[in-house]
Amino acid sequence: MGFEKVVVVDGRGHLIGRLASVVAKQLLNGQRVVVVRCELLNVSGSFYRNKLKYFAFLRKRMNSNPSHGPFHFRAPSKILWRTIRGMIPHKTQRGMEALNRLKVFEGVPPPYDKTKRMVVPSALRVLRLKPGRKYASVGRISREVGWKYGDVVEKLETKRKEKSAAYFEAKKKLNALRAKAVGSTQRRSRYFFLFSINKKILKNQIMLQLQP
C-alpha cells in the first residue's frame, strides 16, 4: 500500500484480523485509512462457533461496576476498530495519533461513494482461506448480538447501488459519444489534409502551364 493522502479500503470479503494488521501498520506509519462496508467483513470459522466466542466475550465484565468496562461493541465498524486498537500501542501519544487517522463505516457513506476504493490482497478471504473452510460474516454476528441497524444499512446500500448503476450507464453513453466525436474529427481532419495537398498540386500544375 503506497503512501497517499487518504486510502479508502473496501472491507467486503476481507478477513478481519488480516485486514486489521495491515491497517494498523499503515496507521503507525502515518497513513490515513478509511474502511467502508465493515458489515461485509469475514471471520474464519463457522458462524455458530464465532457466535459462541462473542457470547463468551460478553460475559467478561467488571463485577463491581460493569459501566467501567470492558465495553462490548456490537456494530461491525466498532468491532473492526477495537481489533485494530488491540494492534496499536493506543495508550501512548504515537498510538493515539495513529488511531485518530482511522475511520470505519458500515456501508459507503458520502463522500467515499465517489472515491476509488482499494482492496488488500493479503487479507482477502478468497486468497488466504483454503477452499471449503467455514467462515462467517461479521455483519451477521453483529445482528445476533444486538446490532440494530443492519436493515437501515441494507436499504441505504441498495439506494447507493442503484444511483451508482445509473451514473455508470450515463458515463458509458457519454464515453461512446466522445469516441464517436473523436473518430469523426480525425476523419474530417484527414479529409481537409488531403484536400489541401490536392489544392497545392493543382496550383503548381496551373503555374507550370502558364509559364512560357
Side-chain angles (χ1 to χ4, degrees), residues 190-206:
R190 198 180 302 124
Y191 169 75
F192 282 125
F193 178 69
L194 292 170
F195 178 74
S196 61
I197 289 174
N198 291 336
K199 194 176 178 183
K200 282 181 183 177
I201 293 169
L202 187 64
K203 189 178 179 181
N204 290 336
Q205 286 177 352
I206 291 167

Side-chain angles (χ1 to χ4, degrees), residues 168-185:
F168 183 64
E169 286 300 318
K171 189 178 178 183
K172 277 204 296 187
K173 287 176 184 175
L174 189 66
N175 286 343
L177 287 170
R178 188 179 285 117
K180 191 177 177 182
V182 168
S184 64
T185 306

